[in-house]
Amino acid sequence: MSNDNYAHATRANADYAAGFDRGGKPIPPAKQAAILTCMDARIIPTEALGYELGDVHVIRNAGGRASDDAIRSLVISHKLLGTKEFFVIHHTDCGMALFDQETMERLLASSLNTATPGPDGWSDPGGSDGSDAGKDVDWLTFKDAADAVTEDVKRVREHPLVPGRIPIYGFMYDVDTGKLTEIEAASAIGKAR
Ligand SMILES: [Zn+2]
């Protein structure tokens, strides 16, 4: 199944490019906004928020966390490309709440093969390629997604390279209904000054 993606993607792109008629746009996003969200495959951020190609920046990582690299992108987004509003969007049923730092370190030390979740937690199939380098990475896990939105908005808000005039909105996206719900505590912290 999954190894068919090379053939799928190259074939699908030939059709996409054949019908592509939206070239020639400038680099700065037309709607002057940036969205930080999770890499979860069930979210299409631009579609969910009503944006078209060229409208907004979308910065994604596991959990939609305000990591150093996410903030690097947000700063570039504003400083060089003129965005004026930031959205931080986490979502229901996020996989990042299903493990913690210690678990990830343990699984990686066991092997680099894909682990499986079970009633008693994650189990690793084992293998010869385990590595303890997992402890050198902050996996940025969380227990409560709404709390994590607030934490991430706060981290962006307090960053010295993010100007206070940029409003940062905190939202939760429901992957089953497609509905966005504002996290008031997060948006309050992210309010423009
Ligand atoms: Zn997620």
Side-chain angles (χ1 to χ4, degrees), residues 1-2 9 21 39 43 64-65 67 69 90 97 124 144 153 158 175 178 188:
M1 180 176 67
S2 58
D21 59 359
M39 67 183 188
I43 308 169
R65 304 307 320 258
S67 60
D69 194 66
H90 289 200
D124 197 85
D144 182 281
V153 166
E158 291 177 351
V175 295

Side-chain angles (χ1 to χ4, degrees), residues 54-132:
D55 281 350
V56 294
H57 279 145
V58 179
I59 298 143
R60 303 187 73 160
N61 62 38
R65 304 307 320 258
S67 60
D68 289 347
D69 194 66
I71 291 175
R72 176 184 70 87
S73 296
L74 289 170
V75 171
I76 289 170
S77 178
H78 168 70
K79 182 68 185 175
L80 301 180
L81 296 164
T83 59
K84 294 176 165 60
E85 292 166 282
F86 294 165
F87 291 83
V88 175
I89 304 175
H90 289 200
H91 65 97
T92 59
D93 196 35
C94 186
M96 290 295 283
L98 302 180
F99 67 102
D100 59 17
Q101 180 75 25
E102 183 278 328
T103 302
M104 189 60 164
E105 290 176 11
R106 175 175 57 79
L107 294 170
L108 288 165
S110 169
S111 83
L112 301 187
N113 291 312
T114 299
T116 46
D120 300 318
W122 290 88
S123 58
D124 197 85
S128 56
D129 57 0
S131 168
D132 64 4

